[in-house]
Amino acid sequence: MNLVERDLQSIWHPYTQMKTAQPPIPIVSGKGACLYAEDGKKYIDAISSWWVNIHGHAHPYIAEMIAKQLLQLEHVIFAGFTHSGAVELAERVLAILPSNQKKAFYSDNGSTAVEVAIKMCLQYWYNRGEERTKIIAFKNAYHGDTFGAMSVSGRSAFTAAYDTLLFEVEFIGLPGPENIDALKSQISNLRSQVSSFIFEPLVQGSAGMVMYEAKYLDELMAHCRKEGIMLIADEVFTGFGRTGKPFACDHVQTQPDIMCFSKGLTGGTMAFGLTTCTQQIYDAFLSDDKMKTLFHGHSYTANPVACAAALASLDLFLEPSTQQNINRIVNKHAAFAEKVRGHKSLKTTRQTGTILALEWQTGDNTSYFSGLRDKLYNYFLNAGIILRPLGNIIYILPPYCITDNELDYIYATIAQALDEI
Ligand code: PMP
């Protein structure tokens, strides 16, 4: 049996319809923005492998730091013990976050970073003896696949089988000039019961790269702050440069109380989660009363190898050449969007930083499951580009090291697809 046949016998892939899905493509190596298949074919990873990769595949510097760490200390229980990687990473990340972020809590991935954030907020009010258990979230939000994260995500085909088991959330629309006042009154009416407001700042990735203005997010955040509602910025996707600035919250004035990170945190090399919070939240847990403890911890919390990967990724992220690359991608995306704007096959284009989304004209079927999605996916795969549409929406969010030639090839292939599909 070849690798694909063995895969089909033994593996259950995520987000894959088992009967109708195409067989997976075996990948053997990666370099820069490219992945190489078993049959020798090269693919440009235009979506950074589910949005995680920021410095390119198999980066030698990150690999070297991981190897070094593995030979020194692979893991240690993170209750009652610590290690230099965890401390250094906390200090260095907190130093570049909004200035009110004072404590770092490690976990395993984006969903767990969100679970921790939700538990911190709910227990913050519990520890203070106030019954504020409601959470506000955006209608089409996506915050992860675990039950808490699913609960604060929009109800959709992804959650349908569990909807009756998810906890109740107050869903609101995205803020804009037409509804900002109505949203503020809605929040004020609920305020005494609300613990927190969780949001994907500026870009809702899984909803279809839906973008909204920083100005209205800021107004909504400031209003929640006034009402004593904790602000949870889920930067699992937007963190580490995606929006053009280091963090999406750098585009607003109001500082969140809690921030969630994963994906780009390790440059896309290892599963890792980080939740940061203010001193005020931390202090609500600081007590002689054992019941005030945050009872949450994963076996691999603050794994030293993941910390080493994150520190190495941070070194690269803070190099001036990385910001130059981000600016280069932002400008090239904008020029391409301008070029195809008004094309008859396009409904809209939208861009925030290094994220460019193009919405295909479809007539009626815009769903995640639309046939157009598979057609587009295969068209780009055949051309050696990994672009994984969300329904009729294709998006490019490449590793920052992608070359101009690679970007130009992606744009040219999209332009051709617009004429042909
Ligand atoms: N929050 C956001 C905004 C995300 O985009 C994602 C993943 N796409 C998650 C949380 C969940 O992260 P993970 O897949 O690492 O659990």
Side-chain angles (χ1 to χ4, degrees):
M1 273 198 293
N2 66 26
L3 192 72
V4 174
E5 288 162 344
R6 283 162 52 207
D7 172 290
L8 292 173
Q9 286 228 328
S10 59
I11 293 180
W12 187 338
H13 285 267
Y15 285 91
T16 303
Q17 218 300 324
M18 281 182 284
K19 251 187 150 165
T20 55
Q22 297 164 213
I25 299 167
I27 296 294
V28 291
S29 65
K31 190 168 189 222
C34 295
L35 291 164
Y36 297 87
E38 203 177 53
D39 63 4
K41 185 162 176 168
K42 173 170 117 173
Y43 293 92
I44 304 176
D45 187 358
I47 54 159
S48 299
S49 281
W50 253 336
W51 326 342
V52 300
N53 192 298
I54 58 176
H55 304 301
H57 289 281
H59 196 288
Y61 176 67
I62 304 180
E64 187 192 328
M65 292 300 140
I66 288 175
K68 238 188 190 165
Q69 182 61 49
L70 270 170
L71 291 170
Q72 191 176 329
L73 175 68
E74 85 304 339
H75 191 55
V76 56
I77 176 174
F78 205 62
F81 295 87
T82 191
H83 57 86
S84 64
V87 176
E88 198 188 329
L89 181 63
E91 288 173 350
R92 289 184 61 193
V93 173
L94 290 170
I96 57 170
L97 292 180
S99 60
N100 67 341
Q101 297 299 298
K102 298 290 183 206
K103 298 282 174 188
F105 192 104
Y106 294 111
S107 64
D108 297 347
N109 54 60
S111 303
T112 57
V114 167
E115 295 288 339
V116 170
I118 294 171
K119 285 172 80 170
M120 276 180 178
C121 276
L122 292 175
Q123 198 176 341
Y124 168 85
W125 293 108
Y126 174 90
N127 283 0
R128 289 167 55 113
E130 288 185 53
E131 202 173 320
R132 289 175 74 141
T133 53
K134 261 211 161 75
I135 298 176
I136 295 175
F138 284 134
K139 268 177 197 143
N140 294 315
Y142 177 80
H143 295 288
D145 284 348
T146 50
F147 265 76
M150 259 201 298
S151 292
V152 293
S153 299
R155 302 296 178 259
S156 69
F158 296 177
T159 63
Y162 328 102
D163 278 356
T164 54
L165 299 169
L166 301 178
F167 61 73
E168 238 181 83
V169 167
E170 194 67 30
F171 287 109
I172 62 171
L174 288 179
E178 69 300 338
N179 67 348
I180 185 74
D181 292 331
L183 288 177
K184 288 204 270 191
S185 345
Q186 192 183 345
I187 289 169
S188 293
N189 288 339
L190 293 165
R191 92 164 204 241
S192 59
Q193 313 151 47
V194 177
S195 72
S196 49
F197 165 41
I198 183 165
F199 52 92
E200 295 155 272
L202 304 195
V203 189
Q204 292 187 298
S206 299
M209 300 298 151
V210 175
M211 299 173 187
Y212 62 106
E213 271 184 66
K215 180 175 158 209
Y216 296 103
L217 172 62
D218 201 17
E219 207 171 323
L220 208 55
M221 288 172 75
H223 185 72
C224 287
R225 167 72 33 79
K226 201 174 91 203
E227 301 290 20
I229 295 166
M230 292 293 163
L231 297 164
I232 306 174
D234 176 354
E235 293 233 24
V236 165
F237 166 45
T238 52
F240 299 97
R242 282 291 172 210
T243 65
K245 295 192 181 191
F247 302 99
C249 284
D250 294 333
H251 296 263
V252 294
Q253 300 297 317
T254 313
Q255 299 185 325
D257 298 280
I258 294 187
M259 299 179 80
C260 306
F261 307 97
S262 183
K263 297 192 187 276
L265 175 62
T266 59
T269 56
M270 300 200 46
F272 202 24
L274 170 64
T275 308
T276 63
C277 73
T278 59
Q279 190 68 42
Q280 183 189 347
I281 291 182
Y282 182 81
D283 285 347
F285 292 76
L286 192 62
S287 165
D288 295 323
D289 179 356
K290 288 204 163 88
M291 284 303 290
K292 293 201 168 164
T293 308
L294 178 65
F295 290 108
H296 193 107
H298 299 278
S299 319
Y300 284 103
T301 295
N303 174 255
V305 187
C307 288
L311 282 166
S313 178
L314 195 59
D315 287 342
L316 299 173
F317 183 67
L318 295 175
E319 277 180 9
S321 61
T322 301
Q323 189 58 50
Q324 283 158 14
N325 277 334
I326 290 172
N327 298 344
R328 177 176 60 86
I329 295 168
V330 171
N331 293 333
K332 281 186 76 77
H333 274 359
F336 174 65
E338 194 49 47
K339 196 171 142 199
V340 292
R341 191 158 292 136
H343 191 289
K344 65 176 181 354
S345 300
L346 266 189
K347 209 155 142 195
T348 57
T349 63
R350 48 182 177 268
Q351 182 188 358
T352 300
T354 68
I355 309 159
L356 176 66
L358 297 100
E359 196 162 331
W360 233 260
Q361 220 36 285
T362 53
D364 43 5
N365 191 358
T366 59
S367 97
Y368 180 82
F369 304 110
S370 88
L372 177 67
R373 184 242 170 242
D374 293 347
K375 216 190 255 180
L376 289 169
Y377 179 66
N378 287 321
Y379 185 93
F380 292 111
L381 264 192
N382 286 336
I385 301 170
I386 305 176
L387 274 178
R388 203 167 178 277
L390 292 156
N392 63 325
I393 298 154
I394 61 163
Y395 59 90
I396 319 172
L397 53 100
Y400 306 144
C401 65
I402 192 166
T403 64
D404 280 350
N405 278 346
E406 287 160 346
L407 270 176
D408 289 339
Y409 176 67
I410 296 170
Y411 298 144
T413 312
I414 293 174
Q416 200 177 324
L418 281 170
D419 290 338
E420 291 177 12
I421 297 179

